Amino acid sequence: MKQLLLLLFASLLVFSTTCGPDDTNTIRIGLIVPITGDVKTFGESVRNAVLIAVDEANQKGGINGKTIRVITADDKNDPTEAANACSKLINQNKVKFIIGSVASKASIPISEMCEQAKVLMITPTSTNPRVTVRDNGERKEYVFRACFIDPFQGTVAAKFASENLKAKRAAILYDISNDYVKGLAEFFKESFTQMGGQVTIYESYGKDDVDFSALLTKIKADNPDVLFIPDYYTKVGLIAKQTRAIGIKSVLLGGDGWDSPEMTKIAGDAINGGYFTNHYSPQDPRAEVQEWVSKYETKFGQKPDALGTLGYDATLLLLEAMRNAESEKVEDVRDALTKLTNFQTVSGQITFDAFGNPVKNAVILQYMDGEQRYVTTVQP
Ligand code: PHE
């Protein structure tokens, strides 16, 4: 009898470590975001939003009767940390689905790991083309995103500079070690030049640089119409301050990385009047947007930024694919995701192109008196 009990106990133990007693009733989703580090508002927004979407689904009975459980890992906005987090989620937590990461430089390494391990990955916010495409141009079959990509974002910014701001001459400053920043700088340069504009200064800096006076002295002498700084809010805040302090009057322009409630705290007045491209505006009167904004605001006391909105949208996409899939198998969920057509999310209707990228509108926003103001919407 004792032996029998032992055997029973042993087999229970094996069962709980190999598949886990909760496995039959739950689906685990790994979430990789920067919760600490230099862009932590990005990770906080995405996490808040993913949890709202998952709670809503669980309250409605889960997906196909199963509860969704989110396992969050912090990548600190660092590619190596992201790879470690990803490997832990795949090998220890045995997740088959990952939402993340935020920054392209973190999403690129994890996209390669997910592809190899056949784990389905959706990045809510990483806009660099190389997240879903290999260097040889082939599609990574297990990787998707909920946002537009930077060739489009760069064109939108260039078009706005040239047509709306009537800019003829632009200077560009970029972080050479950041895939997103470097890519967006190149795409802007290419488009602006094609539109007849001239890029008079194209200079890089390093990720830990804090003193930009040498570069800004050059820019001051050049006096361009616009200064394009496609970096994240912490760096942009710093550069913007030094730009105004040295007396540069050019219009400041940037990309989605400018979106943070911390931006005006860091940059102060220096960012006033600056324009940036983004994925959505909380001022959009569409019912989906207003409903989402009030839901998020009730829970977290502030309006969701684009990161939160895309985090919510990425989760909606994944959950809908799970619902539609023939089985819980990754390949079936992936195929169901591929098949979604005009699926309504907060930031727009989503149909994926052949590279796992949705084709969506962009908006232009402006920092004005400490707030973000909606300027215009641009269609692809
Ligand atoms: N697009 C940025 C990247 O790929 C991330 C980002 C998205 C930041 C949206 C802010 C808002 O690195």
Side-chain angles (χ1 to χ4, degrees):
M1 182 65 189
K2 205 171 155 194
Q3 260 175 349
L4 210 108
L5 272 178
L6 260 177
L7 204 81
L8 194 77
F9 184 65
S11 60
L12 267 177
L13 254 185
V14 171
F15 177 77
S16 66
T17 48
T18 50
C19 77
D22 68 344
D23 250 33
T24 44
N25 299 320
T26 66
I27 303 173
R28 292 184 300 273
I29 297 178
L31 173 64
I32 305 178
V33 283
I35 298 289
T36 59
D38 59 342
V39 293
K40 68 187 179 65
T41 69
F42 288 173
E44 287 162 356
S45 294
V46 172
R47 186 183 52 180
N48 288 347
V50 169
L51 295 180
I52 293 183
V54 167
D55 279 351
E56 282 175 354
N58 283 341
Q59 270 162 24
K60 287 189 195 139
I63 302 295
N64 307 327
K66 296 193 178 187
T67 306
I68 304 293
R69 188 156 73 88
V70 178
I71 308 172
T72 307
D74 181 11
D75 71 20
K76 308 185 170 87
N77 190 31
D78 177 82
T80 311
E81 296 277 353
N84 292 341
C86 185
S87 138
K88 190 164 164 272
L89 285 171
I90 294 176
N91 299 315
Q92 287 179 28
N93 302 110
K94 308 271 182 232
V95 305
K96 291 285 175 201
F97 308 98
I98 286 183
I99 297 178
S101 181
V102 168
S104 296
K105 68 175 178 183
S107 289
I108 291 170
I110 70 172
S111 69
E112 268 137 40
M113 298 170 78
C114 287
E115 184 71 3
Q116 188 147 41
K118 300 193 187 325
V119 165
L120 186 63
M121 160 178 163
I122 305 186
T123 168
T125 54
S126 293
T127 44
N128 187 277
R130 289 198 292 125
V131 176
T132 63
V133 180
R134 296 173 199 271
D135 290 340
N136 66 7
E138 268 172 35
R139 163 81 200 273
K140 296 176 193 167
E141 292 185 7
Y142 290 79
V143 187
F144 294 76
R145 70 180 109 215
C147 51
F148 54 59
I149 54 173
D150 287 334
F152 170 63
Q153 179 166 210
T155 307
V156 169
K159 207 167 164 211
F160 182 77
S162 126
E163 289 177 9
N164 300 56
L165 303 175
K166 311 276 178 234
K168 301 266 178 288
R169 301 167 65 257
I172 302 173
L173 289 182
Y174 66 97
D175 176 350
I176 196 148
S177 72
N178 185 318
D179 298 294
Y180 153 76
V181 180
K182 189 164 169 273
L184 191 51
E186 279 161 14
F187 297 125
F188 175 88
K189 182 176 177 223
E190 202 182 302
S191 297
F192 189 69
T193 313
Q194 265 171 21
M195 289 166 196
Q198 202 191 344
V199 174
T200 51
I201 289 180
Y202 190 68
E203 295 273 357
S204 67
Y205 52 85
K207 101 175 176 353
D208 298 318
D209 289 359
V210 288
D211 178 359
F212 301 91
S213 51
L215 295 174
L216 294 175
T217 306
K218 267 174 92 170
I219 293 176
K220 188 175 181 196
D222 182 65
N223 191 26
D225 301 314
V226 298
L227 171 54
F228 188 58
I229 324 170
D231 208 331
Y232 300 139
Y233 64 95
T234 19
K235 199 60 113 193
V236 174
L238 201 62
I239 298 177
K241 268 186 140 164
Q242 295 180 26
T243 299
R244 293 309 183 219
I246 207 171
I248 295 170
K249 301 275 183 297
S250 316
V251 177
L252 301 185
L253 192 63
D256 53 357
W258 282 31
D259 190 11
S260 170
E262 295 285 310
M263 174 64 117
T264 50
K265 291 182 199 151
I266 299 169
D269 283 349
I271 205 68
N272 212 29
Y275 296 96
F276 67 108
T277 45
N278 207 1
H279 303 267
Y280 112 114
S281 162
Q283 291 164 10
D284 185 333
R286 279 188 303 125
E288 298 85 28
V289 177
Q290 287 316 312
E291 215 175 281
W292 160 243
V293 169
S294 82
K295 207 185 299 181
Y296 189 99
E297 210 171 7
T298 309
K299 190 139 192 202
F300 296 107
Q302 61 186 23
K303 293 198 190 325
D305 53 22
L307 295 120
T309 300
L310 291 172
Y312 187 72
D313 287 351
T315 316
L316 294 186
L317 282 164
L318 179 58
L319 299 182
E320 180 68 6
M322 285 174 172
R323 262 184 221 111
N324 297 348
E326 273 175 36
S327 81
E328 220 176 84
K329 271 180 45 201
V330 176
E331 284 71 21
D332 287 336
V333 178
R334 179 198 61 192
D335 293 347
L337 195 57
T338 308
K339 283 193 198 126
L340 290 178
T341 318
N342 295 334
F343 178 66
Q344 187 68 55
T345 67
V346 177
S347 60
Q349 286 194 348
I350 291 187
T351 307
F352 293 104
D353 70 8
F355 296 98
N357 303 322
V359 180
K360 298 162 79 185
N361 293 348
V363 297
I364 308 266
L365 304 180
Q366 183 181 35
Y367 276 104
M368 196 40 99
D369 303 325
E371 309 240 310
Q372 292 181 0
R373 188 178 72 88
Y374 168 80
V375 179
T376 183
T377 301
V378 185
Q379 281 167 358

